[in-house]
Amino acid sequence: MTPQRAETLEWLVQRASAAVLALCVIVHLTVIVLAVQGGVTAKEIAGRVGGSVPWLAFYSVFVIAVALHAPAGLRNILREYTSLGRRATHWIMAAVCVLILGLGFRAVVGLYGLGA
Amino acid sequence: MSNDTLTVEIWRGREEGEFQTFQVPRMASQTVLDIVTYVQRNLDPGLSYRFACRVGVCGSCAMTVNGKPRWTCRTHVDKVAGDGTLRIQPLKNLPVIRDLAVDMTEFFQKWTRAQAHFVPTATRGDDFAQVSPDDPRRKEASAGIECINCGVCYSACDTVAWLGDYLGPAALNRAWTLVNDERDGGQAARLKAIAGAGGCQSCHSHQSCFELCPKHLNPTAAIAGLKRATVKAALKGEI
Ligand code: SF4
Ligand code: SF4
Ligand code: FES
């Protein structure tokens, strides 16, 4: 793949993941607003998401979208504000992506497991 | 301040330098270029600046006026010196040669890098191409074609300041007019040139270029068009 094609597709992925994130954030905030009515407890959260396949799927999509979107944005910031080379920013981007996936799925799987 | 003179601060030097203050008589319909010319002719003949046509055609007179890039020959003092002071500096994002004159080399090199030139496909044996004025692509090209290469947008663009290799609004705007030119034969090479590092994807769409372009062109919209065109080409594997 040419670097031009890679840059362009990466830009597309960043935009597409932003669109997915916009929906995810709306769902997430709506659930928070509704759930917090009358107070919220850990037990209640575990009761809702624990063992629930739809929530597992939703938060998996959420984590993947963040893992695609945030590193691309971070790389642009590093390119504009630091003198790091393209190779360095690529590796930082990859590392942040893996980090977000790792932490995100740890939380998602952990919450799912509460219902088991 | 008295009504019949204006306090004018003008940058002297190169990257290192200082402002020098002059008192310039006010006149009706006076432009910023009139002010600079008055200073050079009457107060300090050593002042360096650039202009040619004085009527908004050549694009050589752009300077930073009270913080914003302007074409000085068509910028009335009344419009920009509300508080009675005027601060004139060279354009930003370009190396200063001296005083108000900047080196435009890099600006034009980026036009070359963006393949922002027409690549003919017809020969002199062919008839004239017929392009309908109603053709949507012709309309896109027409919207951006009146650029006078003044560098105002380039100077107004923060992304140019942050990302040294960013092609900038003017070169990309010109590239977009050519992407819409059905007679042009350089499309693949052009899309490749504007898709990579420092290309159209680097634009943040914050529209300073659009706000300040003296010809009321919209490079942001042109760049958005290029983003769509490059995405299509990337998905098809053409770049
Ligand atoms: S819209 Fe793009 S080209 Fe125009 S000033 Fe902003 S970053 Fe620069
Ligand atoms: S697009 Fe507008 S501001 Fe930019 S160089 Fe052309 S005329 Fe000047
Ligand atoms: S002097 Fe030609 S555009 Fe101003």
Side-chain angles (χ1 to χ4, degrees), chain A residues 13-100:
Chain A
V13 166
Q14 195 194 9
R15 300 299 138 138
S17 56
V20 173
L21 278 178
L23 285 177
C24 290
V25 169
I26 289 171
V27 172
H28 185 65
L29 291 177
T30 310
V31 171
I32 290 177
V33 169
L34 293 179
V36 83
Q37 309 287 328
V40 67
T41 62
K43 207 169 151 210
E44 192 189 319
I45 296 173
R48 183 171 54 249
V49 293
S52 160
V53 174
W55 281 119
L56 175 71
F58 171 77
Y59 282 109
S60 299
V61 170
F62 205 153
V63 167
I64 292 169
V66 175
L68 293 174
H69 187 78
L74 181 68
R75 191 184 64 161
N76 289 345
I77 294 169
L78 289 174
R79 280 183 180 177
E80 287 173 9
Y81 284 89
T82 71
S83 53
L84 289 172
R86 306 191 85 74
R87 193 181 287 262
T89 53
H90 254 104
W91 283 112
I92 292 171
M93 180 171 81
V96 172
C97 177
V98 170
L99 184 73
I100 293 174

Side-chain angles (χ1 to χ4, degrees), chain B residues 107 147-153 170 213-215 217 219:
Chain B
F107 174 74
C147 172
I148 56 170
N149 314 353
C150 64
V152 161
C153 55
C213 170
K215 300 292 290 182
L217 306 186

Side-chain angles (χ1 to χ4, degrees), chain A residues 1-15 73 75-82 86, chain B residues 159 162-163 165 192-193 195-198 201-204 227-228 230-231 233-239:
Chain A
M1 179 167 331
T2 63
Q4 289 87 349
R5 189 169 184 219
E7 291 263 340
T8 307
L9 292 179
E10 186 194 301
W11 179 85
L12 180 64
V13 166
Q14 195 194 9
R15 300 299 138 138
R75 191 184 64 161
N76 289 345
I77 294 169
L78 289 174
R79 280 183 180 177
E80 287 173 9
Y81 284 89
T82 71
R86 306 191 85 74
Chain B
T159 307
W162 295 327
L163 201 64
D165 64 354
K192 210 164 179 173
Q201 278 85 23
S202 303
C203 167
H204 286 275
K227 287 173 179 168
R228 290 191 297 274
T230 50
V231 163
L235 288 174
K236 288 194 208 149
E238 291 168 357
I239 54 173

Side-chain angles (χ1 to χ4, degrees), chain B residues 33 50-62 71-74 148 150:
Chain B
L33 186 65
R50 193 188 286 124
F51 75 98
C53 72
R54 296 177 293 125
V55 288
V57 174
C58 71
S60 59
C61 65
W71 55 350
T72 56
C73 70
R74 297 284 304 267
I148 56 170
C150 64

Side-chain angles (χ1 to χ4, degrees), chain A residues 46 49-57 105-116:
Chain A
V49 293
S52 160
V53 174
W55 281 119
L56 175 71
F105 273 105
R106 189 167 160 245
V108 170
V109 171
L111 278 170
Y112 179 76
L114 289 178

